[in-house]
Amino acid sequence: MGSSNLELIFDSVGHFGRYQIFLYFICAFQNISCGIHYLASVFLSVSPQHTCRPPGNVSQVLFQDLSTWQLEDIWTQVSVGREDHILVQLQDGEVWELTSCRRFRRDDQSSLDYEYSGRKSSFPCLDGYIYDRSKWLSTVVTQWDLVCNREWFGRLIQPTFMFGVLLGAVIFGYLSDRAGRRLVLWASSTGVFLFGIAAAFTFDYYSFIVARFLLAISASGYLVVVFVYVTEFAGMKSRTWASIHLHSFFAFGTMVVALTGYFVRTWWIYQIVLSSVTVPFILCCWMLPETPFWLISGGKYEEAQKVIDTMAKWNRTRSCKLSELLSLDHDGSAGNKPSQVEKHTLSELFYDWSIGARTLILWLIWFTGCLGFYTFSLNSVHLGGSEYLNLFLMGVVEIPAYVFVCLGMDRVGRRNILIFSLLSSAVTNGVIMVIPKEYHFWLVVATMAGKFFIGAAFGLIYLYTAELYPTIVRSLAVGSGSTVGRVGSIVAPLCIYLSSIWIFMPQLLVGTLALVSGVLTFLLPETLRRPLTTTWEETEKESSSGKLLSTTSNTVLENVAVENSEDSSLNK
């Protein structure tokens, strides 16, 4: 059944009536939960100040000119640098110098001077560590001592999660085409809840990583399928806005993380609270019907007719008969199974030198968009001031970015908006690098601007990629681009750690990639009001001609969603 015939369904029952709005907000609410778990590690893996635990009971503590009786009191009175040491005297008379990763026993136990040049013996932190608990009572880092020689275990928490995101998109995208959108939405959301709760009750680091990895697979699977689900229920007139603004609910998840982190300072309680956001969707998901598109593609015409009738009843419009659109009897006895879709390989995205260059440029934009998106968010907690407010603002600024994309792409063109967003992001990264660190207010403002522009670019790249390729490889192009983008999300947390080499290394990397991507985008053709192509020959003809025809972005979203949901997603 052609997409034009399917669109007649929405002409009859309504493009985005009360029924679609009801389903949309149920599905979009779960996007908040996905946004939560994608950035929960910002506070889960906080590494507070720490020092080696001494091998006995302490009778006196000395730090420079400050003296106290309890080692834990040091953190509330002074800021201990990584290279500083804390001097303690034990009840048995031994004098120890404690650093963040080593401890030293003085041979001369009569000397309590802070500066000491005599002989001392070095020992590892075999008795564990004492942490600054003034901000966080416990984190994953303090729970399993992920510091010093185990520091990289903590740094792998977010990259392993993002690798699960990559895997989940493939698994659940495949399942949604076979088992249906509704079942996958329910299964993935149940997984988000169960694995989210399981992560809070894990007994060691490795079980925590496994639970988070399975959580990532589930959350990613939901985001893949919910985009297809929404596009298959929204009519052409509302499809672009509905699909792009699913991102806005993901942004609300970022804000929830910031608020929860501010009020809950124990990591496992924090994890439970965040995971509970999924509960309302699980309670409501039984009300979600299967999409008519998927039912029709599987020859289940009677079930599809029931959904369409329900839609018309809710929207108070006139229903339509599928038998008339399909030219078969209502019972579907004359229906045939849909024809087998020909599979295409990745090599077809390099059809010739021109198309190959186009593919590489788009992959770079996808990579830059994901890398920049998560780098700005993850790095916001290091800008100074309140880390909770900083992260909250990173979520707030995404919403106007998507409005900007929706308003601008049909007026000045997709390519122009994309170029402007990428180059503006590069400029803001450069501005961040010249702002002194003590001016944290302006650092936050500049970072918000950078997140706005990179968010706008990422919100647009899905649609733009789909419009640049013919129907035969459109889903393959979008799927490959989103896969490359997820590689960028895996690299993003590792990029943050480059600040230990130079504080502005993440901004330099993202800014450089955004600049190169923005300049290379000039080489791509504009797609505004140009018709979708079916073959490579049509694509070449359209790229070389200036002919403008009235084809809307909604048609692209429909074609990609219906053709192959396995590869198409707006997954973060």
Side-chain angles (χ1 to χ4, degrees):
M1 184 176 183
S3 61
S4 59
N5 286 338
L6 286 172
E7 198 60 39
L8 294 175
I9 297 174
F10 296 109
D11 290 338
S12 177
V13 302
H15 284 257
F16 204 64
R18 288 189 300 176
Y19 190 66
Q20 289 104 316
I21 292 173
F22 173 72
L23 297 180
Y24 180 81
F25 280 102
I26 289 179
C27 295
F29 184 85
Q30 179 62 5
N31 265 36
I32 298 176
S33 181
C34 295
I36 284 171
H37 291 297
Y38 272 50
L39 288 172
S41 67
V42 170
F43 299 124
L44 272 177
S45 57
V46 169
S47 183
Q49 294 184 95
H50 62 276
T51 189
C52 275
R53 185 180 295 277
N57 295 324
V58 175
S59 62
Q60 187 176 0
V61 180
L62 180 69
F63 179 72
Q64 296 177 357
D65 57 351
L66 174 68
S67 179
T68 184
W69 299 106
Q70 293 200 11
L71 189 54
E72 289 80 1
D73 295 338
I74 285 290
W75 310 114
T76 62
Q77 302 178 50
V78 295
S79 177
V80 181
R82 195 176 182 87
E83 303 301 324
D84 294 328
H85 69 268
I86 299 173
L87 185 66
V88 298
Q89 185 177 42
L90 306 185
Q91 291 181 353
D92 61 4
E94 290 186 344
V95 179
W96 288 77
E97 295 179 8
L98 308 177
T99 65
S100 59
C101 294
R102 300 289 294 180
R103 54 186 182 176
F104 303 88
R105 185 182 63 197
R106 290 183 178 181
D107 291 351
D108 183 3
Q109 298 183 7
S110 63
S111 174
L112 284 179
D113 295 332
Y114 185 76
E115 300 297 337
Y116 174 77
S117 58
R119 294 184 60 185
K120 50 190 176 183
S121 303
S122 175
F123 298 90
C125 301
L126 298 178
D127 297 294
Y129 303 85
I130 294 177
Y131 295 94
D132 174 16
R133 302 187 187 274
S134 59
K135 280 192 175 183
W136 277 80
L137 296 178
S138 71
T139 70
V140 173
V141 171
T142 65
Q143 182 78 23
W144 295 302
D145 290 334
L146 306 181
V147 294
C148 300
N149 61 331
R150 288 172 56 84
E151 183 177 10
W152 273 102
F153 287 95
R155 293 185 173 186
L156 288 175
I157 290 174
Q158 187 67 6
T160 54
F161 181 91
M162 287 302 180
F163 182 72
V165 169
L166 174 61
L167 187 60
V170 176
I171 294 174
F172 282 98
Y174 175 84
L175 290 177
S176 72
D177 279 346
R178 275 72 185 171
R181 321 316 191 198
R182 178 189 181 186
L183 179 61
V184 170
L185 289 179
W186 178 84
S188 59
S189 297
T190 302
V192 168
F193 176 72
L194 294 179
F195 295 126
I197 296 296
F201 293 100
T202 47
F203 52 86
D204 62 11
Y205 168 79
Y206 299 102
S207 59
F208 173 79
I209 287 295
V210 170
R212 286 265 299 171
F213 182 76
L214 296 174
L215 170 61
I217 291 176
S218 301
S220 173
Y222 180 86
L223 286 177
V224 168
V225 180
V226 75
F227 167 74
V228 179
Y229 188 85
V230 167
T231 56
E232 290 182 352
F233 261 110
M236 180 180 293
K237 296 178 181 178
S238 305
R239 193 167 290 133
T240 299
W241 276 78
S243 58
I244 288 182
H245 278 287
L246 282 175
H247 283 300
S248 299
F249 291 88
F250 189 95
F252 282 122
T254 303
M255 300 180 217
V256 172
V257 169
L259 291 173
T260 306
Y262 180 79
F263 289 107
V264 183
R265 306 298 178 91
T266 301
W267 79 266
W268 62 272
I269 300 177
Y270 164 87
Q271 177 68 25
I272 291 174
V273 171
L274 294 181
S275 299
S276 66
V277 177
T278 302
V279 172
F281 178 82
I282 293 178
L283 296 177
C284 296
C285 66
W286 62 271
M287 293 184 286
L288 298 178
E290 186 53 78
T291 70
F293 281 24
W294 185 82
L295 292 171
I296 292 171
S297 68
K300 301 179 180 181
Y301 304 113
E302 290 187 3
E303 294 180 42
Q305 184 67 61
K306 291 179 182 179
V307 175
I308 293 170
D309 292 342
T310 302
M311 198 184 312
K313 183 178 179 181
W314 274 62
N315 295 345
R316 297 178 182 176
T317 57
R318 180 178 57 85
S319 185
C320 63
K321 297 297 183 182
L322 283 178
S323 57
E324 298 175 1
L325 298 177
L326 295 166
S327 298
L328 47 77
D329 294 333
H330 181 66
D331 59 9
S333 59
N336 297 319
K337 292 184 179 180
S339 59
Q340 186 70 26
V341 178
E342 183 182 353
K343 296 295 182 180
H344 297 272
T345 63
L346 196 65
S347 62
E348 294 188 54
L349 298 182
F350 298 86
Y351 174 77
D352 57 26
W353 285 104
S354 175
I355 299 299
R358 176 182 301 184
T359 298
L360 293 177
I361 293 172
L362 289 169
W363 283 359
L364 177 62
I365 298 171
W366 275 94
F367 180 86
T368 303
C370 267
L371 177 67
F373 184 92
Y374 285 102
T375 298
F376 279 118
S377 296
L378 297 173
N379 197 50
S380 64
V381 297
H382 305 299
L383 297 177
S386 171
E387 57 265 48
Y388 309 104
L389 178 60
N390 294 348
L391 183 62
F392 185 86
L393 293 174
M394 291 304 109
V396 169
V397 78
E398 286 184 51
I399 298 174
Y402 304 136
V403 175
F404 166 73
V405 168
C406 288
L407 293 176
M409 66 180 184
D410 288 331
R411 289 170 172 79
V412 298
R414 288 86 155 108
R415 187 186 68 168
N416 293 336
I417 291 292
L418 188 58
I419 291 172
F420 175 76
S421 299
L422 289 169
L423 294 182
S424 297
S425 178
V427 171
T428 53
N429 274 284
V431 170
I432 292 171
M433 294 170 62
V434 299
I435 298 176
K437 191 174 182 180
E438 57 269 20
Y439 292 90
H440 68 266
F441 172 81
W442 295 109
L443 279 173
V444 172
V445 170
T447 302
M448 287 180 65
K451 179 67 178 294
F452 175 93
F453 292 119
I454 206 70
F458 187 73
L460 179 59
I461 186 58
Y462 170 83
L463 173 65
Y464 188 50
T465 301
E467 292 180 337
L468 283 173
Y469 290 88
T471 302
I472 58 174
V473 293
R474 185 171 294 124
S475 293
L476 180 64
V478 175
S480 67
S482 60
T483 301
V484 172
R486 294 184 192 105
V487 174
S489 65
I490 295 172
V491 174
L494 302 177
C495 177
I496 299 298
Y497 301 131
L498 292 178
S499 58
S500 60
I501 301 174
W502 184 45
I503 189 171
F504 293 120
M505 186 65 77
Q507 288 80 11
L508 177 63
L509 179 60
V510 174
T512 301
L513 288 174
L515 177 63
V516 174
S517 300
V519 172
L520 290 177
T521 305
F522 280 103
L523 302 177
L524 301 177
E526 179 56 73
T527 60
L528 177 62
R529 300 188 184 91
R530 295 198 178 189
L532 295 179
T533 58
T534 304
T535 65
W536 285 118
E537 290 72 18
E538 293 178 13
T539 301
E540 292 176 344
K541 183 178 179 181
E542 281 300 318
S543 297
S544 60
S545 70
K547 185 179 180 181
L548 298 180
L549 297 177
S550 58
T551 299
T552 68
S553 57
N554 296 298
T555 307
V556 180
L557 291 173
E558 177 185 345
N559 273 273
V560 178
V562 175
E563 285 166 15
N564 187 353
S565 65
E566 178 179 347
D567 291 327
S568 59
S569 73
L570 273 175
N571 192 21
K572 292 286 189 179

